[in-house]
Amino acid sequence: MKTKTNAKASDDTTPALLNAPAARAAFGATRGGVKVYGALTAAAFVAVVVVASTGHMVNPFMWIRAILLPFIAVLLHRLTVSASQGSRRAFDRLRGVSVVFPVAIIGVDLIPGVCPWWYAAMQTLCMLPVLRIALTTRGSALRTAFPKVQ
């Protein structure tokens, strides 16, 4: 008789650790951060549309970023859902993206002449929930739920 092997077993953590109140609260905070990030990036897109429709200059960089950043919310949401279901791989990716992403976005915005100050300020505001996600995923509740594999 063939036995089924769960190829995903090494990727999963024990359900008990994920169902701990602290882990559930941490994933709740992470989901909240993703929602706020999505709302802020949608607002930034609307701001770009309004500014462009009033005849002010909006460069291609601003359009591209305003269109792409809300899609990152979908990626963050998918990673959060997968991680909350026990995917170690999704958890590690969420941790990495939530640190690198704000640094890259804010760093590019600080390059003189790339975008106007108001847009850079708006993008920085959009990154605050992502920084919260970075801190939450590094907290003790999720470190316990996803112990280091040696």
Side-chain angles (χ1 to χ4, degrees), residues 29-30 33-34 76 94 98 128-138:
T30 301
V34 171
L76 292 174
L94 181 63
S98 65
L128 294 179
V130 180
L131 290 173
R132 178 181 176 205
I133 293 168
L135 292 173
T136 303
T137 57
R138 282 161 177 69

Side-chain angles (χ1 to χ4, degrees), residues 54-140:
T54 59
H56 292 87
M57 200 246 352
V58 176
N59 64 32
F61 169 81
M62 293 167 62
W63 276 115
I64 292 167
R65 186 178 281 183
I67 292 168
L68 290 179
L69 289 187
F71 288 110
I72 301 296
V74 175
L75 170 68
L76 292 174
H77 174 72
R78 289 186 64 165
L79 289 173
T80 300
V81 168
S82 292
S84 69
Q85 294 172 347
S87 172
R88 173 70 191 206
R89 186 175 178 187
F91 178 69
D92 289 340
R93 287 181 177 180
L94 181 63
R95 286 185 72 188
V97 167
S98 65
V99 169
V100 173
F101 187 52
V103 172
I105 295 296
I106 295 169
V108 170
D109 286 346
L110 293 176
I111 298 171
V114 169
C115 57
W117 68 268
W118 65 267
Y119 190 74
M122 184 174 284
Q123 294 296 300
T124 300
L125 178 65
C126 289
M127 290 300 109
L128 294 179
V130 180
L131 290 173
R132 178 181 176 205
I133 293 168
L135 292 173
T136 303
T137 57
R138 282 161 177 69
S140 62

Side-chain angles (χ1 to χ4, degrees), residues 19-30:
N19 289 328
R24 284 196 319 260
F27 277 120
T30 301

Side-chain angles (χ1 to χ4, degrees), residues 3 5-6 10 19 42 46 50-52 60 66 84 106 108 112 119 129 134 136 150:
T3 59
T5 58
N6 186 357
S10 64
N19 289 328
V46 170
V50 168
V51 168
S84 69
I106 295 169
V108 170
Y119 190 74
T136 303
Q150 301 296 345

